[in-house]
Structures are given as structure tokens and as C-alpha cells.
Amino acid sequence: MHQDGITPAKIGNYTCGPGNPLLLIAGPCVLETRDAAIEIGLRLRDISQEHGASIVFKASFDKANRTSLSSYRGPGLEAGLEILQAVGEATGLPVTTDIHVPEQAEAAGRVCDLLQIPAFLARQTDLLVAAAETGKAINVKKGQFMAPGDMRYVVEKLRESGSENILLCERGTFFGYGRLVNDMRSIPEMHALGVPVVFDATHSVQQPGGLGGATGGNRAMVEPLARAAVAIGTDALFFETHPDPDKSPSDGPNMVPLDQFSGLVGRMLAIRRGLEAL
């Protein structure tokens, strides 16, 4: 245990937790082409250098929980991991992706510095155990149907399976049909479980099923929620960003335009510095 009784998490060369720099996890929702991913990754690298920010590149090789069967899911495990490896090599940034079944963990762990467990799968024991066995850091998104305190069992499963680098992620809670809300108390409540906490500003503004056969959202609310999360003490922020979100095959309504991302990062870091000066 370290500051505030929280064990920091190591992701590549970064350390996430109280007393450490604000971690930013950012990238497109889903991988499209190698060139597109590297283009976004290089811009994120430049933003990292511009602000002295700790940025992890994220993208999914398979969106296994799309609303419609006909929706684009991604290039798949093998091709997707090849792209993620290329991004890491081109940018020097740590990379992360989500896994959906235990059989994907080992391969993803060979490429990624951080493995993400999707919110709908936060209780899947075999998946958590397989992720822990890779030895890589793990970010588990709190299920939209779960109370913050219930994530203690997720932490127990991971720790008892050998994981030492655990993050929990707040990403909104179901509020009736087609809407999510954030209870910011979840950030200190999950901190009380002894691990760093991530705030997912992109998926918190989703409107599940809001576009009929696809998920809608409201990107105008991304920054206000991110500001609140930094103010209450989150250790990391998660954003999806794309050069042209409205043409993204997944989560476009929730994504930050890439040309606006540097300004957003600067404002988040300024809030963090202000809190540290208090």
C-alpha cells in the first residue's frame, strides 16, 4: 500500500495512483486500418510530449457487444494485435485493448501493457483469472448494473490470481432505458478498495440503443464529466478520439474530435495541478 492506502498500478513506464501524474487512456473506439491507427497514435504521442502527459493508446480489435449483428466489429484478434504492436513501435506509447474471452488474454498480453475488461464482463471469473495470469496491468470497467462496493470481489479475484497492477473504471450506471448517469461517489468508494480509479468520460455519455440499431451519445458532456472526475480525485481518464468521429464505425457520437484533444488534455492537467497546489 502507498499513498491513501492505494497500491499504484504500473503500466509500461507509467505509474498510476495518488501522488502520480494523471494517466490518460485515449484512442479510437475500434481499429480500422493500420495507417489510421498509427496516424492517431502519432498525434497522441505529440500531445503527450507537448503537455508532458502520460498517455496510453487504446483501441479494440473486436467490438463484441455491438447493438446490431451487422455493425462493424473490427479486424479481429490476430490482425488487431499486429496493428497495436505497430502503433506501440511507431509511437513509443504503451497500448491497451479489451478482451472478451479467456482464450484472448495470453495473446493480448504479449502485445499490450494494459488489458481492459469490458463492463458487461466485469463479473466473469475465468476472464479475470486469465487476464491476471498474463502479469500485465488490468483495467476493469464497473458494470453499469453494479454498485461501486461490489467491485471488491473483482479486486479479490484478480489479487488472488496473482495480479499486482489493478485499476477500476467508472463508466456510468443504467438510469432507466437508454440512459446512463454518473454517481461521482463511486470514485472515492472504489479508491477505498485499495486500487487506482479511472473515469471513462466517453462511455459515460452513451445512450444505449439511442440510434435504434446503434448506441447514441452526447459528446458535449464528455468534458464537463471529466472535469468533475478530476476534481473529485480520479487517477486516470479514458477518452475515445478520432479525426472524424461522425465517420467512425463505432461510438462516433461520444468521441472527442482529435483536433480538439490537445486542448482538452491541457485543461484536465490544469485542474489536476490546481488541486495539487491546494
Side-chain angles (χ1 to χ4, degrees), residues 10 26 39 84 155 158 180 208 223 263 269:
K10 300 284 188 180
E39 176 188 352
L84 288 168
V155 174
L158 291 171
L180 299 170
E223 182 165 342
L269 295 177

Side-chain angles (χ1 to χ4, degrees), residues 54-117:
S54 300
I55 296 182
V56 177
F57 178 88
K58 66 79 48 185
S60 298
F61 59 80
D62 178 20
K63 300 302 293 184
N65 60 347
R66 294 301 305 272
T67 303
S68 171
L69 183 63
S70 62
S71 297
Y72 176 73
R73 291 179 50 165
L77 178 65
E78 183 175 350
L81 291 178
E82 288 177 358
I83 294 173
L84 288 168
Q85 184 169 358
V87 171
E89 292 172 351
T91 66
L93 298 177
V95 298
T96 185
T97 195
D98 40 348
I99 57 174
H100 301 88
V101 293
E103 294 75 19
Q104 295 172 340
E106 182 180 1
R110 289 197 297 267
V111 171
C112 296
D113 304 273
L114 174 68
L115 298 180
Q116 178 178 289
I117 306 299

Side-chain angles (χ1 to χ4, degrees), residues 162-229:
S163 182
E164 299 177 354
N165 296 290
I166 302 168
L167 303 95
L168 299 180
C169 183
E170 161 62 28
R171 52 91 70 235
T173 300
F174 287 133
F175 187 71
Y177 299 118
R179 185 178 177 191
L180 299 170
V181 297
N182 291 102
D183 181 352
M184 290 297 177
R185 293 175 298 180
S186 69
I187 293 174
E189 287 177 8
M190 289 195 291
H191 265 151
L193 303 179
V195 297
V197 176
V198 182
F199 179 77
D200 180 347
T202 290
H203 294 97
S204 289
V205 303
Q206 278 186 329
Q207 297 168 352
L211 297 179
T215 291
N218 179 9
R219 71 172 65 98
M221 294 304 299
V222 167
E223 182 165 342
L225 288 174
R227 287 177 178 233

Side-chain angles (χ1 to χ4, degrees), residues 5-171:
I6 295 170
T7 301
K10 300 284 188 180
I11 301 101
N13 292 324
Y14 302 146
T15 301
C16 180
N20 292 285
L22 184 69
L23 183 73
L24 301 167
I25 303 171
C29 177
V30 64
L31 290 167
E32 298 174 56
T33 67
R34 177 190 179 101
D35 288 348
I38 291 176
E39 176 188 352
I40 295 170
L42 289 172
R43 180 62 188 128
L44 292 175
R45 180 202 62 187
D46 292 346
I47 292 170
S48 174
Q49 294 172 348
E50 175 186 351
H51 294 284
S54 300
I55 296 182
V56 177
F57 178 88
K58 66 79 48 185
S60 298
F61 59 80
D62 178 20
K63 300 302 293 184
N65 60 347
R66 294 301 305 272
T67 303
S68 171
L69 183 63
S70 62
S71 297
Y72 176 73
R73 291 179 50 165
L77 178 65
E78 183 175 350
L81 291 178
E82 288 177 358
I83 294 173
L84 288 168
Q85 184 169 358
V87 171
E89 292 172 351
T91 66
L93 298 177
V95 298
T96 185
T97 195
D98 40 348
I99 57 174
H100 301 88
V101 293
E103 294 75 19
Q104 295 172 340
E106 182 180 1
R110 289 197 297 267
V111 171
C112 296
D113 304 273
L114 174 68
L115 298 180
Q116 178 178 289
I117 306 299
F120 289 134
L121 303 178
R123 292 169 53 98
Q124 295 298 102
T125 301
D126 290 345
L127 183 60
L128 294 170
V129 171
E133 289 176 346
T134 67
K136 295 301 180 76
I138 304 168
N139 175 30
V140 185
K141 293 196 170 185
K142 179 179 72 64
Q144 303 93 324
F145 47 88
M146 294 176 67
D150 290 340
M151 293 297 284
R152 66 169 50 90
Y153 304 109
V154 171
V155 174
E156 288 176 2
K157 289 176 183 180
L158 291 171
R159 285 180 172 158
E160 291 177 14
S161 301
S163 182
E164 299 177 354
N165 296 290
I166 302 168
L167 303 95
L168 299 180
C169 183
E170 161 62 28
R171 52 91 70 235

